[in-house]
Amino acid sequence: MAAAGNSPETFPPDAAAIEALALAALNRLPAQFRAHLGDVVLKVAEFADEDVLAELGIESPFDLSGLYTGRPLAEKSSMDVGALPDMIHLYRRALLDEWVETGVSLEALVSHVLIHEVGHHFGLSDDDMHALEESAG
């Protein structure tokens, strides 16, 4: 039996738990999208780096819960040599803060942010991203 106060339910989800939710959301995407995500790296960090926040003009690290870095598929070329891998960044502390503030389930929130970043990888419009989110629901 766990000591009082040491129950896993008393601790916020760690990076591995956020990653597991994100991978489950990826697996719910339609096959035609999953087929083009194999080389995209998923990274969960506590917060975005200060450089990233400054570049995006964001003052508080709690205001950025996810970010896609890379070139959308439609802009890629066979001439791209030595490029860094495309990445989807999820920011754990910002996600947890939004989870507490909104009351939305953490699974739904992580899925929403992840799908939004996947949408950037495909160069989708906001309407297309919403449709993709509904198909993965």
Side-chain angles (χ1 to χ4, degrees):
M1 182 162 182
N6 289 334
S7 167
E9 294 83 32
T10 63
F11 295 99
D14 61 10
I18 300 294
E19 182 177 6
L21 291 172
L23 291 173
L26 281 173
N27 287 328
R28 289 191 302 271
L29 291 173
Q32 68 266 29
F33 287 96
R34 287 193 320 266
H36 298 286
L37 292 169
D39 293 334
V40 177
V41 175
L42 176 64
K43 182 177 179 184
V44 179
E46 290 299 292
F47 288 112
D49 294 335
E50 288 184 25
D51 302 1
V52 169
L53 296 171
E55 184 179 323
L56 297 173
I58 298 173
E59 291 185 23
S60 171
F62 287 99
D63 291 338
L64 185 63
S65 54
L67 180 68
Y68 170 74
T69 56
R71 291 181 60 183
L73 283 179
E75 295 177 15
K76 290 195 180 286
S77 163
S78 61
M79 302 303 286
D80 293 339
V81 178
L84 293 174
D86 296 337
M87 295 183 79
I88 293 176
H89 306 264
L90 298 178
Y91 301 113
R92 178 182 162 275
R93 295 283 307 279
L95 285 163
L96 295 178
D97 196 57
E98 189 172 342
W99 174 43
V100 169
E101 286 180 5
T102 64
V104 172
S105 77
L106 186 57
E107 179 180 20
L109 180 60
V110 169
S111 180
H112 172 76
V113 172
L114 177 86
I115 289 171
H116 185 86
E117 303 315 327
V118 165
H120 287 302
H121 175 67
F122 287 100
L124 300 178
S125 69
D126 283 342
D127 287 341
D128 290 337
M129 287 182 210
H130 291 299
L132 178 58
E133 189 170 8
E134 288 197 15
S135 72

